[in-house]
Each structure stands twice: as C-alpha cells, then as structure tokens.
Amino acid sequence: MATKLVLITFAICRLLITVGLTMDPAELLRLVVDGQLSMDPSDVETASKDFGLMSRAEPLAVMHPASAEDVTRLVRAAYSSAKSFSVSARGHGHSINGQAQARNGVVVEMSGGNRVGSGKPAAGRSETVGRVVSEKGLYMDAWGGELWIEVLRATLEYGLAPKSWTDYLYLSVGGTLSNAGISGQAFNHGPQISNVLEVDVVTGKGELLTCSEERNSELFHAVLGGLGQFGIITRARIALEPAPKRVRWIRVLYSNFSAFTKDQEYLISLHGQPSSQKFDYVEGFVIVDEGLINNWRSSFFSPSNPVKISSIDSNGNGGILYCLEITKNYDDSTADTIDQEIEALLEKLDFVPTSVFTTDLPYVDFLDRVHKAELKLRSKGLWDVPHPWLNLFVPKSRIADFDEGVFKGILGNKTSGPVLIYPMNNDKWDQQSSVVTPDEDVFYLVALLRSALDSGDETHTLEYLTDQNRRIFKFCDEAGIKIKQYLPHYTTQQEWMDHFGDKWPQFYQRKMEFDPRRILATGQRIFAGPS
Ligand code: FAD
C-alpha cells in the first residue's frame, strides 16, 4: 500500500511539474483511489508502443482503472485543470500508427486487470457497470476494455454469442467500436458498431453518460466509429444470438477477378434471405506471390493442397488467384440439411471446379482462427515486427480498376502478408455514426496486412512497403478511385477534413460539444492537442 502511495504521489508530482497543473495534489490523490496511476517504466514502455511498431510516444503516466469512476475522475481532472493534459484510452494497443498513444499525457489501460463487475452506478443512473449476460434480452454488458475473446467465452456459457465479429478476437470492445469492427459477417449483420444497443461513455468533460438510440443519442452515434474523440467507452451492451455449435468452412479459387467479385457480390446480396439460403460469412483474399505457403492465414490448407493450388492455371492472369472464403454455421437441428444447403449455394458460383477446400470445426475454433496463426508467428519471432498495414474501403464500381492497378500492378509479385478483399452492404452501416464509408451501395474492404522484415530482401523492408502504400494512394488519387481509409491515419487536419468529407462539420461540432478541450485520443492527430 505504501509503495502504491509513493508511486501515485511521484506520478502526480511529475504530472504537475510537466504540465503545470494548478490543482492541489492531495485532491488528485483522492481522485485515483480505486485503481492505479503508474509510472513504472514497463507500463510506460508498453503504452508508448503499438502493434504497428512504427511510432512511439511516451506518456507521463499510465492509469489502470478499477472502474468507470476512475476514468471519470481522471478525465475530469484533465478537463478542469488550468493547463490540461491528454488522456487516451488504450484497448489492446493493436493500432498501427500510434492512435492510442498520449505523448506527455496519461494512457488509460482499459484491458487487463480484474475490474469486471467492480463498476459503480453513476449518479442518476440505474444500470450497474459490469459484466452481465441477459438471456432474455439477448445482450451482454461488457467493460470497454474487455477483449472479444473474453466476451465470447462469457456468452458461450449461456449458449449465446455476438453476431458481428472481427477476424481476430484479441482486440478490445472499446477499440473496435471506436473504428467499426468488421469481418465476414458484416454483409449480413453490419459492423460491430451496428450491433451495440447502449454504451456508457466518459466524455472529454469528465461526465459519465449512458447513451443509446433513445438516450443521449448524439453522443451514442458520435462514439461509434468515433476514433476515441468524444469519450471513453466504459461499458457496451452487445447484441447476442444463439451460438451455433459448428462451422463448415469452405474455400474456393478463381483465376478470373470479375467472376470472383460477381460471386462475392451475389452472396452478399442474399442478406435478406432466410439463413438456410445464404452463407453466414463471406470474405476472400488475393494470392499474389509464393502462393499460400508463407501466408499466415493459410493454415486452413492441408500440406497436399498447395500442390493442387499450383496446378490451377493462373498464368493468363499474371499468376494471381483469388480465394473466396465462406462459412455456414450449424447445430444439431440443421446438421441433416447443411450439405444440401451448401451444395445449392455453391452451384450458383463460378469458381475453378477442382478447387473446393472444406473443413469442419467448432464455432469457437473458427472465430479464434487468427490467434493460432499469431502463436505460430510469435514462436518464430515474426509477430513483434513493424506492420505497415493498409486498410481501404473501395467502392464497388472501381474494384476492377483497383485490381488492375494494385494487385496486378503495384504489388508486383510480393505481398509480405495476407491481402483480404470482401464486399459489404452499405445499408448495414448507420450513417449517423462517425465512421465514413464510400458513397455506394456496396463497397469492398481491401486489407494489405504486411509485416516488414530484415530478411535481406529489399521488398520486405519497412521502407519499401511504406513507399508501396504511398504509391497505392497516389494511384487511387490519379485514377479517381474514391477510397476511404479504414482505421484511418493522417497527419494534417486538411487530410482529416477530406477523409470525413460532408461529415466533417458534424464531426467537428461533436468534438466541440463532447471534448471541447481536445483532451481525448490525441494519438489520432485529428485536432491540435489539449488547450
Ligand atoms: P487500440 O489500438 O488500443 O485503440 C484504438 C483507438 O481507439 C485509439 O484511438 C484509442 O484511444 C481508442 N480506444 C481504445 N479503447 C477505447 C475505449 N474504451 N473508448 C474509446 N476509445 C477507445 N479490425 C477489424 O475491424 N476487423 C478485423 O478483422 C481486424 N483484425 C485485426 C487483426 C490484428 C492482428 C490486428 C493487430 C488488428 C486487427 N483489426 C481488425 C484492427 C483493430 O480493430 C484495431 O486495431 C482497433 O484499434 C482495435 O484494437 P485495440 O482494441 O487494441 O484498440
């Protein structure tokens, strides 16, 4: 206890000296009673970095909150001090470009620790913050820093699961909701931000508010896809459905891009059909280089499969293949009909007939598939490397031009990581949220998930891949392809204004209303730092 007090006092004194707070230290001390304010070098080091490993910004201190009240106290202190300091929530630090960092501020480590159920109801609120699974209401209340894998484990105890996912589950609820949260279910259910019923948010003024479509709706829409700009999400009420037991996971190959996208678009157009007549998940990826052998999402294929893949003629297509990835969920009640249902759907598609790869696995194993790849990469020392990732939303009308210019052009014969491509229906995205999508009914996610390595091959270096990203932007710009960045990263406000387009005035207005001193998530570099 004494050590904790010394640490806190030390942290606060350093804060006071550096940012010139006029607040009585004793008052600040009283604010941080439940959790911990740490200046431990290892805490500071962790909070200075992210998955991208390309930018670094040291905070002065790191807060491990015990409750939403802790977050409220900290933000209120930053808001009410004469000279403010930045406060950034950090989910699991899986950003690429320092979005969760807070130079000379305080990073709130939302994940880890054991705070579930420890929240206290805010004054005037009837709900209690904490993990609650409602079987009747089909929802779960999750702490904002909980990882999706934890949400899944908790809901499965009740035979339930969220409807919309990310490919990887070691991401935080608050972190993905601040972006969108997408995977192959998005065509059907929309992104994760379309599957949230209510959130508790600590605004930049240090107020803890419960928001939904009906209550504080402006803040509700602002924080969803809001890049952490308007508040820190401390609780999210996530919509659930009965969890399927098993998954039939299928991959089929195409050498023709237009046949591939035609089929993807057909499959996502079935979203309004009964579940027996559509797939539950539609994704895809591009196979550009050494085939699937070095692709970290390739564990699906058995050792004999690469031989079959190499026998598929892709020469007429510059050696490029496209892989459609689809799944169908089932349980005991549908186990008898699933084969017929899949066959009926596959019959309508135009893939290379000899290229059907199927596997069958428990639902959890399917959802947690990328974690297996992570463990493999970690064991080879290939996880903690720089990741110059690029995630783009490309309008459907220009995806063929993108294929010609980028997959068959700029990428050459090397990708340095998986290249995902799948379409989504825009009407599943709530236009009132802060996120921006292309102005077409259907748009594609193209995700270039590259790892930079010092392998002696120039095309694997960070410099080369970063330059390639620049060339992709330049190509889209010159070709007039109106892409939007997903998980956006810009360095000037003009670029952010262009990114938000018509939505900028509203985004700006919301910032002035909910975080007028520009305290929150300064690592996004949208607004000048705290005033
Ligand atoms: P962080 O990186 O810690 O934070 C991201 C931003 O959100 C920061 O600005 C931060 O300040 C803010 N923030 C964090 N928590 C809160 C909170 N509680 N309240 C308010 N603001 C908050 N994304 C997809 O959509 N689909 C995928 O399939 C997918 N797969 C991925 C796979 C891997 C291996 C990785 C590394 C990332 C993947 N992502 C995917 C991207 C992911 O959604 C983002 O990294 C996102 O930022 C979530 O990561 P995080 O929880 O670590 O958040």
Side-chain angles (χ1 to χ4, degrees):
M1 188 60 186
T3 324
K4 189 177 161 192
L5 267 182
V6 170
L7 261 178
I8 293 171
T9 311
F10 179 53
I12 289 164
C13 288
R14 198 174 144 195
L15 261 178
L16 290 172
I17 293 159
T18 314
V19 297
L21 287 178
T22 55
M23 199 177 234
D24 176 358
E27 201 180 321
L28 250 187
L29 260 179
R30 273 201 302 278
L31 295 176
V32 207
V33 286
D34 297 333
Q36 194 197 1
L37 192 59
S38 160
M39 293 188 74
D40 187 295
S42 73
D43 277 338
V44 171
E45 176 62 15
T46 303
S48 306
K49 296 189 297 193
D50 60 21
F51 180 78
L53 277 187
M54 295 184 296
S55 56
R56 188 188 159 77
E58 273 196 24
L60 286 167
V62 175
M63 186 191 199
H64 299 281
S67 63
E69 298 301 304
D70 274 358
V71 180
T72 308
R73 290 175 185 129
L74 177 71
V75 178
R76 203 177 290 152
Y79 177 65
S80 54
S81 67
K83 190 163 186 296
S84 195
F85 54 93
S86 60
V87 176
S88 284
R90 184 176 191 270
H92 209 210
H94 277 55
S95 287
I96 296 298
N97 295 290
Q99 286 92 336
Q101 294 166 4
R103 190 181 299 283
N104 294 332
V106 181
V107 167
V108 184
E109 283 285 7
M110 295 295 289
S111 297
N114 185 22
R115 73 186 60 73
V116 172
S118 60
K120 298 170 191 162
R125 292 181 329 122
S126 54
E127 298 85 356
T128 304
V129 181
R131 185 191 280 174
V132 174
V133 178
S134 168
E135 289 176 88
K136 199 159 157 247
L138 285 179
Y139 66 75
M140 169 168 172
D141 280 339
W143 167 253
E146 270 194 85
L147 303 185
W148 285 96
I149 183 74
E150 296 165 341
V151 172
L152 177 62
R153 287 186 188 132
T155 56
L156 281 178
E157 285 184 24
Y158 299 84
L160 300 170
K163 300 173 184 178
S164 185
W165 291 99
T166 46
D167 293 348
Y168 176 64
L169 306 185
Y170 289 72
L171 304 169
S172 75
V173 167
T176 70
L177 294 184
S178 297
N179 286 290
I182 49 172
S183 182
Q185 303 84 6
F187 80 94
N188 198 19
H189 293 294
Q192 290 179 323
I193 52 171
S194 298
N195 292 277
V196 176
L197 309 172
E198 191 177 276
V199 282
D200 282 350
V201 176
V202 178
T203 69
K205 295 177 185 169
E207 299 162 317
L208 177 56
L209 298 171
T210 297
C211 333
S212 64
E213 286 284 356
E214 293 79 33
R215 201 166 158 195
N216 295 313
S217 62
E218 186 70 18
L219 182 58
F220 180 68
H221 295 128
V223 295
L224 297 176
L227 306 174
Q229 294 305 301
F230 311 106
I232 296 181
I233 300 169
T234 54
R235 177 186 65 101
R237 180 164 289 181
I238 300 156
L240 304 177
E241 63 180 4
K245 281 216 170 101
R246 294 192 68 83
V247 171
R248 192 66 58 79
W249 184 9
I250 302 159
R251 285 177 173 176
V252 294
L253 299 178
Y254 295 75
S255 56
N256 181 304
F257 186 71
S258 78
F260 168 69
T261 51
K262 189 165 157 263
D263 281 357
Q264 280 195 323
E265 286 166 25
Y266 165 68
L267 291 174
I268 72 158
S269 76
L270 301 175
H271 64 92
Q273 300 296 318
S275 62
S276 60
Q277 290 166 38
K278 63 187 170 194
F279 284 110
D280 293 296
Y281 162 105
V282 178
E283 281 204 10
F285 54 91
V286 185
I287 305 168
V288 171
D289 46 11
E290 313 90 299
L292 293 158
I293 295 138
N294 290 330
N295 180 327
W296 56 269
R297 296 202 179 192
S298 68
S299 53
F300 177 93
F301 293 98
S302 71
S304 62
N305 282 331
V307 179
K308 288 193 209 158
I309 290 164
S310 62
S311 69
I312 292 168
D313 179 19
S314 63
N315 287 339
N317 198 33
I320 298 183
L321 290 173
Y322 306 94
C323 180
L324 170 67
E325 181 173 70
I326 43 200
T327 72
K328 198 135 183 53
N329 303 335
Y330 69 102
D331 52 31
D332 296 343
S333 67
T334 47
D336 290 343
T337 52
I338 183 161
D339 289 333
Q340 280 163 274
E341 289 170 12
I342 290 175
E343 211 170 295
L345 281 162
L346 289 183
E347 254 171 30
K348 305 231 169 68
L349 308 181
D350 193 17
F351 50 86
V352 176
T354 53
S355 72
V356 185
F357 305 94
T358 304
T359 191
D360 195 287
L361 71 175
Y363 188 53
V364 186
D365 291 0
F366 171 71
L367 290 179
D368 202 22
R369 62 202 178 281
V370 176
H371 185 52
K372 291 204 178 71
E374 173 187 355
L375 295 178
K376 245 193 247 170
L377 289 183
R378 278 192 188 282
S379 72
K380 294 180 189 160
L382 295 175
W383 186 256
D384 291 323
V385 298
H387 294 105
W389 285 12
L390 195 59
N391 283 272
L392 305 173
F393 290 151
V394 182
K396 169 187 143 177
S397 65
R398 303 302 305 275
I399 195 68
D401 299 318
F402 191 92
D403 172 57
E404 280 298 326
V406 178
F407 301 148
K408 296 192 180 111
I410 293 172
L411 289 190
N413 268 333
K414 296 259 163 75
T415 61
S416 298
V419 179
L420 310 187
I421 168 170
Y422 57 91
M424 285 167 280
N425 295 305
N426 213 349
D427 63 1
K428 300 277 178 184
W429 293 64
D430 185 349
Q431 295 309 321
Q432 296 174 91
S433 77
S434 292
V435 75
V436 280
T437 57
D439 190 16
E440 287 192 12
D441 292 348
V442 169
F443 61 89
Y444 280 79
L445 169 79
V446 174
L448 299 140
L449 309 179
R450 291 102 74 80
S451 303
L453 303 174
D454 279 330
S455 61
D457 181 341
E458 186 231 357
T459 64
H460 289 153
T461 60
L462 180 59
E463 208 180 17
Y464 183 89
L465 295 172
T466 310
D467 183 59
Q468 209 171 49
N469 288 346
R470 261 185 238 118
R471 285 166 58 209
I472 293 171
F473 283 128
K474 187 162 176 276
F475 163 75
C476 291
D477 192 35
E478 287 174 2
I481 303 176
K482 294 199 165 51
I483 51 163
K484 290 289 174 196
Q485 278 193 50
Y486 177 54
L487 314 169
H489 167 61
Y490 295 105
T491 50
T492 67
Q493 197 172 74
Q494 185 56 51
E495 288 173 317
W496 280 110
M497 289 165 77
D498 293 344
H499 170 77
F500 284 105
D502 293 348
K503 275 191 162 180
W504 172 256
Q506 181 192 50
F507 196 86
Y508 184 85
Q509 186 51 41
R510 285 172 168 175
K511 184 72 174 176
M512 292 308 109
E513 185 175 348
F514 300 118
D515 181 23
R517 295 196 70 185
R518 307 184 301 271
I519 289 163
L520 300 173
T522 47
Q524 296 277 6
R525 299 160 84 174
I526 303 175
F527 297 97
S531 57

